[in-house]
Short mmCIF file of all heavy atoms in Angstrom, two decimals:
data_model
loop_
_atom_site.label_atom_id
_atom_site.label_comp_id
_atom_site.label_asym_id
_atom_site.label_seq_id
_atom_site.Cartn_x
_atom_site.Cartn_y
_atom_site.Cartn_z
N PHE C 15 7.26 6.83 -10.63
CA PHE C 15 6.43 7.40 -9.51
C PHE C 15 5.58 6.23 -8.82
O PHE C 15 5.51 6.34 -7.55
CB PHE C 15 5.63 8.46 -10.11
CG PHE C 15 4.35 8.81 -9.39
CD1 PHE C 15 4.31 9.46 -8.26
CD2 PHE C 15 3.09 8.53 -9.97
CE1 PHE C 15 3.21 9.86 -7.55
CE2 PHE C 15 1.94 8.88 -9.38
CZ PHE C 15 1.91 9.51 -8.17
N ALA C 16 5.09 5.32 -9.47
CA ALA C 16 4.06 4.47 -8.82
C ALA C 16 4.27 3.01 -9.10
O ALA C 16 4.80 2.59 -10.07
CB ALA C 16 2.72 4.87 -9.31
N LEU C 17 3.88 2.26 -8.11
CA LEU C 17 3.72 0.70 -8.12
C LEU C 17 2.28 0.49 -7.63
O LEU C 17 1.69 1.35 -7.02
CB LEU C 17 4.78 0.02 -7.29
CG LEU C 17 6.14 0.15 -7.69
CD1 LEU C 17 7.08 -0.49 -6.64
CD2 LEU C 17 6.44 -0.46 -9.04
N PHE C 18 1.81 -0.69 -7.92
CA PHE C 18 0.46 -0.98 -7.69
C PHE C 18 0.42 -2.33 -6.91
O PHE C 18 0.87 -3.35 -7.37
CB PHE C 18 -0.38 -1.09 -8.97
CG PHE C 18 -0.47 0.12 -9.73
CD1 PHE C 18 0.74 0.43 -10.63
CD2 PHE C 18 -1.35 1.09 -9.64
CE1 PHE C 18 0.73 1.56 -11.35
CE2 PHE C 18 -1.38 2.27 -10.39
CZ PHE C 18 -0.29 2.56 -11.24
N ASN C 19 -0.33 -2.34 -5.73
CA ASN C 19 -0.42 -3.48 -4.87
C ASN C 19 -1.66 -4.35 -5.15
O ASN C 19 -2.75 -3.83 -5.08
CB ASN C 19 -0.44 -3.03 -3.46
CG ASN C 19 -0.28 -4.12 -2.45
OD1 ASN C 19 -0.82 -4.00 -1.29
ND2 ASN C 19 0.28 -5.32 -2.80
N PHE C 20 -1.44 -5.53 -5.50
CA PHE C 20 -2.48 -6.48 -5.81
C PHE C 20 -2.30 -7.73 -4.98
O PHE C 20 -1.13 -8.09 -4.80
CB PHE C 20 -2.56 -6.90 -7.29
CG PHE C 20 -2.84 -5.71 -8.21
CD1 PHE C 20 -1.78 -5.22 -8.87
CD2 PHE C 20 -4.06 -5.19 -8.42
CE1 PHE C 20 -1.94 -4.17 -9.89
CE2 PHE C 20 -4.27 -4.19 -9.26
CZ PHE C 20 -3.25 -3.59 -9.93
N LEU C 21 -3.33 -8.41 -4.58
CA LEU C 21 -3.16 -9.77 -3.90
C LEU C 21 -2.84 -10.78 -4.95
O LEU C 21 -3.09 -10.68 -6.15
CB LEU C 21 -4.53 -10.12 -3.26
CG LEU C 21 -4.96 -9.25 -2.02
CD1 LEU C 21 -6.19 -9.66 -1.53
CD2 LEU C 21 -3.86 -9.07 -1.05
N ALA C 22 -2.16 -11.88 -4.45
CA ALA C 22 -1.83 -13.02 -5.32
C ALA C 22 -2.05 -14.26 -4.53
O ALA C 22 -1.53 -14.44 -3.37
CB ALA C 22 -0.45 -12.93 -5.86
N GLN C 23 -2.63 -15.29 -5.09
CA GLN C 23 -2.98 -16.47 -4.45
C GLN C 23 -1.75 -17.53 -4.51
O GLN C 23 -1.69 -18.36 -3.53
CB GLN C 23 -4.19 -17.16 -5.14
CG GLN C 23 -5.53 -16.67 -4.75
CD GLN C 23 -5.89 -17.03 -3.32
OE1 GLN C 23 -5.42 -16.61 -2.33
NE2 GLN C 23 -6.82 -18.05 -3.17
N ASP C 24 -0.92 -17.42 -5.48
CA ASP C 24 0.18 -18.32 -5.57
C ASP C 24 1.18 -17.74 -6.53
O ASP C 24 0.97 -16.66 -7.02
CB ASP C 24 -0.29 -19.67 -5.93
CG ASP C 24 -1.14 -19.71 -7.16
OD1 ASP C 24 -1.02 -18.85 -8.08
OD2 ASP C 24 -2.08 -20.52 -7.20
N ALA C 25 2.30 -18.52 -6.88
CA ALA C 25 3.33 -17.99 -7.73
C ALA C 25 2.71 -17.71 -9.09
O ALA C 25 3.08 -16.73 -9.67
CB ALA C 25 4.35 -19.05 -7.83
N GLU C 26 1.78 -18.55 -9.66
CA GLU C 26 1.26 -18.41 -10.94
C GLU C 26 0.38 -17.12 -11.01
O GLU C 26 0.44 -16.33 -11.94
CB GLU C 26 0.42 -19.45 -11.29
CG GLU C 26 -0.21 -19.50 -12.76
CD GLU C 26 0.86 -19.39 -13.83
OE1 GLU C 26 1.90 -19.98 -13.64
OE2 GLU C 26 0.59 -18.67 -14.75
N ASN C 27 -0.32 -16.90 -9.93
CA ASN C 27 -1.17 -15.69 -9.89
C ASN C 27 -0.35 -14.43 -9.76
O ASN C 27 -0.64 -13.39 -10.46
CB ASN C 27 -2.21 -15.67 -8.70
CG ASN C 27 -3.41 -14.79 -8.79
OD1 ASN C 27 -3.99 -14.52 -7.79
ND2 ASN C 27 -3.76 -14.26 -9.97
N ALA C 28 0.79 -14.58 -9.10
CA ALA C 28 1.73 -13.41 -8.92
C ALA C 28 2.29 -13.11 -10.31
O ALA C 28 2.48 -11.99 -10.70
CB ALA C 28 2.76 -13.72 -7.93
N LYS C 29 2.63 -14.17 -11.09
CA LYS C 29 3.10 -13.92 -12.48
C LYS C 29 2.08 -13.16 -13.37
O LYS C 29 2.44 -12.38 -14.14
CB LYS C 29 3.56 -15.30 -13.12
CG LYS C 29 4.73 -15.90 -12.42
CD LYS C 29 5.17 -17.24 -13.01
CE LYS C 29 6.28 -17.85 -12.36
NZ LYS C 29 6.60 -19.26 -12.87
N GLU C 30 0.85 -13.63 -13.16
CA GLU C 30 -0.19 -12.95 -13.99
C GLU C 30 -0.32 -11.51 -13.56
O GLU C 30 -0.59 -10.68 -14.45
CB GLU C 30 -1.54 -13.72 -13.59
CG GLU C 30 -1.62 -15.19 -14.22
CD GLU C 30 -2.93 -15.83 -13.86
OE1 GLU C 30 -3.41 -15.54 -12.81
OE2 GLU C 30 -3.19 -16.80 -14.52
N VAL C 31 -0.22 -11.20 -12.25
CA VAL C 31 -0.27 -9.81 -11.83
C VAL C 31 0.84 -9.13 -12.39
O VAL C 31 0.63 -7.90 -12.85
CB VAL C 31 -0.18 -9.86 -10.24
CG1 VAL C 31 0.16 -8.43 -9.72
CG2 VAL C 31 -1.56 -10.32 -9.61
N MET C 32 2.08 -9.60 -12.41
CA MET C 32 3.18 -8.89 -12.86
C MET C 32 3.04 -8.66 -14.49
O MET C 32 3.43 -7.51 -14.89
CB MET C 32 4.52 -9.54 -12.53
CG MET C 32 4.74 -9.65 -11.07
SD MET C 32 4.77 -8.16 -10.21
CE MET C 32 6.28 -7.41 -10.83
N SER C 33 2.66 -9.61 -15.12
CA SER C 33 2.42 -9.47 -16.55
C SER C 33 1.43 -8.53 -16.90
O SER C 33 1.60 -7.62 -17.76
CB SER C 33 2.10 -10.90 -17.08
OG SER C 33 1.75 -10.76 -18.53
N ALA C 34 0.23 -8.53 -16.22
CA ALA C 34 -0.84 -7.63 -16.57
C ALA C 34 -0.53 -6.17 -16.28
O ALA C 34 -0.98 -5.30 -16.88
CB ALA C 34 -2.10 -8.06 -15.78
N SER C 35 0.33 -6.01 -15.22
CA SER C 35 0.68 -4.61 -14.75
C SER C 35 1.97 -4.10 -15.47
O SER C 35 2.42 -3.01 -15.08
CB SER C 35 0.83 -4.69 -13.30
OG SER C 35 2.00 -5.46 -12.93
N GLU C 36 2.43 -4.82 -16.35
CA GLU C 36 3.63 -4.45 -17.17
C GLU C 36 4.81 -4.30 -16.24
O GLU C 36 5.82 -3.62 -16.45
CB GLU C 36 3.41 -3.17 -17.89
CG GLU C 36 2.20 -3.18 -18.92
CD GLU C 36 1.79 -1.88 -19.40
OE1 GLU C 36 2.62 -0.85 -19.35
OE2 GLU C 36 0.73 -1.76 -19.98
N GLY C 37 4.77 -5.15 -15.08
CA GLY C 37 5.93 -5.12 -14.12
C GLY C 37 5.81 -4.10 -13.08
O GLY C 37 6.62 -4.11 -12.13
N TYR C 38 4.74 -3.36 -13.05
CA TYR C 38 4.69 -2.22 -12.09
C TYR C 38 3.85 -2.61 -10.96
O TYR C 38 3.03 -1.79 -10.40
CB TYR C 38 4.05 -0.96 -12.75
CG TYR C 38 4.89 -0.39 -13.89
CD1 TYR C 38 4.39 -0.24 -15.17
CD2 TYR C 38 6.20 -0.13 -13.72
CE1 TYR C 38 5.10 0.29 -16.20
CE2 TYR C 38 7.00 0.44 -14.76
CZ TYR C 38 6.41 0.55 -15.99
OH TYR C 38 7.15 1.15 -17.04
N ALA C 39 4.00 -3.82 -10.40
CA ALA C 39 3.13 -4.28 -9.34
C ALA C 39 3.91 -4.81 -8.08
O ALA C 39 5.05 -5.21 -8.26
CB ALA C 39 2.14 -5.40 -9.83
N VAL C 40 3.27 -4.87 -7.04
CA VAL C 40 3.80 -5.45 -5.83
C VAL C 40 2.80 -6.53 -5.39
O VAL C 40 1.62 -6.15 -4.91
CB VAL C 40 4.03 -4.48 -4.60
CG1 VAL C 40 4.44 -5.13 -3.41
CG2 VAL C 40 5.13 -3.45 -5.10
N PRO C 41 2.96 -7.78 -5.66
CA PRO C 41 1.92 -8.74 -5.30
C PRO C 41 1.99 -8.96 -3.75
O PRO C 41 3.10 -8.82 -3.10
CB PRO C 41 2.48 -10.07 -5.93
CG PRO C 41 3.89 -9.80 -6.28
CD PRO C 41 4.07 -8.29 -6.37
N GLY C 42 0.90 -9.33 -3.15
CA GLY C 42 0.86 -9.48 -1.70
C GLY C 42 -0.15 -10.38 -1.18
O GLY C 42 -0.97 -11.00 -1.97
N ILE C 43 -0.12 -10.51 0.10
CA ILE C 43 -1.14 -11.33 0.87
C ILE C 43 -1.70 -10.44 2.03
O ILE C 43 -1.26 -9.33 2.27
CB ILE C 43 -0.46 -12.52 1.55
CG1 ILE C 43 0.60 -12.02 2.57
CG2 ILE C 43 0.13 -13.34 0.50
CD1 ILE C 43 1.26 -13.22 3.39
N VAL C 44 -2.75 -10.94 2.70
CA VAL C 44 -3.26 -10.35 3.90
C VAL C 44 -3.11 -11.34 5.08
O VAL C 44 -3.46 -12.49 4.93
CB VAL C 44 -4.68 -9.76 3.81
CG1 VAL C 44 -4.74 -8.59 2.79
CG2 VAL C 44 -5.65 -10.77 3.32
N ALA C 45 -2.69 -10.87 6.21
CA ALA C 45 -2.38 -11.74 7.39
C ALA C 45 -3.67 -12.51 7.78
O ALA C 45 -3.58 -13.69 8.25
CB ALA C 45 -1.84 -10.84 8.51
N SER C 46 -4.84 -11.94 7.60
CA SER C 46 -6.09 -12.56 8.10
C SER C 46 -6.41 -13.73 7.30
O SER C 46 -7.27 -14.49 7.76
CB SER C 46 -7.24 -11.57 8.08
OG SER C 46 -7.40 -11.07 6.78
#
Side-chain angles (χ1 to χ4, degrees):
F15 156 68
L17 295 172
F18 301 82
N19 184 209
F20 300 101
L21 295 180
Q23 279 286 74
D24 50 33
E26 184 59 34
N27 199 201
K29 289 176 183 177
E30 292 173 340
V31 164
M32 298 303 292
S33 172
S35 65
E36 303 171 16
Y38 300 122
V40 174
I43 63 174
V44 292
S46 58

